[in-house]
Amino acid sequence: MATVNRGAVVLQPAYFTSSVFVKALRDDITNLVHTFHEKYKEDNTKPFELFKTLWSAQGWKWMHFKVFDSRTRQTFLNVTVRLFLERMVKTEAPFVRTVVLFGLYTFFNTQPTGSAPALRGLSHIPIPIDQYASLIALPGTLTTPYLAPLQPFASYVVSALVDAQVFHLLPNSELGVLNPRDIPREIFVEEGLIDSNQPQRKGGHYSKRDKVIKARTALDAVGRWAERTPSPSAAKTTRTRYEAEKTRLVQEIGVGSAGEREASQGVVERLLEAHAGSDGDIEAWTGLARVQTASGSAGGMLRMLQ
């Protein structure tokens, strides 16, 4: 009897853009920065050597072996460098930005090569132009006595990355140029343990909780529509007010009076003057024939106030 091998379990790219991975990696980066800070206060004579020691001790050297599938690995690499870069914005302290720069540099330059089968690698680091400018200026901010030991190493790392043409420049970050625009894109919500005594929902059927959510959503939508739509009583009030204003206007002008006929004729003359010299057919203009007819009849233009 022939045997069939089980398929390999492969993480989907969505895992690495989800809150499960993004939150964990953000915490790991924060822990790396804090640990380096504590050790740096004790001895700052060899900062980059200290960083490499912590990098290995915390298991970062194994990061590249988390996933091997090419499609998923591409997302993993892009998200990882993006999470390093997000801690290098101007709002972060120069010390934090420097430690994260060391991490980005080390992660990018320790990608496995020569393995069999070959692992997919990251050839360029996408970075918005404003973040790139901030990165280039970072060494110049390390001028205080506490930060000065970091400056030569930060300068070397920045120069090495720029000379190797590692960065793929993108438009300003305010334009949302990265894909996905925001991370995490998928949010994992833990709903708690399943009660085995409760009947399980069949596929394609809504649970009571789902029905309540859908009902509330529909109710909110109806409420928003009702706020935008005037009520019948409001429409009736508007119509009544219009009729009253129309009656008052007719009484003041007077139907068939010289003032009414002069005003009607003036409207027609201004319309004809406005369209003088046009290549189009005046008779075809919408409403013009109706205006001319109304101006020459009893009641004039007031007849059009229906």
Side-chain angles (χ1 to χ4, degrees), residues 249-250 252-272 288 291-292 294-297 299-305:
L249 177 64
V250 170
E252 290 183 0
I253 295 178
V255 176
S257 64
E260 180 272 326
R261 290 193 298 272
E262 183 179 351
S264 297
Q265 186 60 33
V267 171
V268 174
E269 291 176 355
R270 282 195 295 272
L271 285 175
L272 294 174
L288 181 58
V291 171
Q292 289 176 314
S295 64
S297 61
M301 297 292 294
L302 294 176
R303 297 179 63 251
M304 301 185 66
L305 298 176

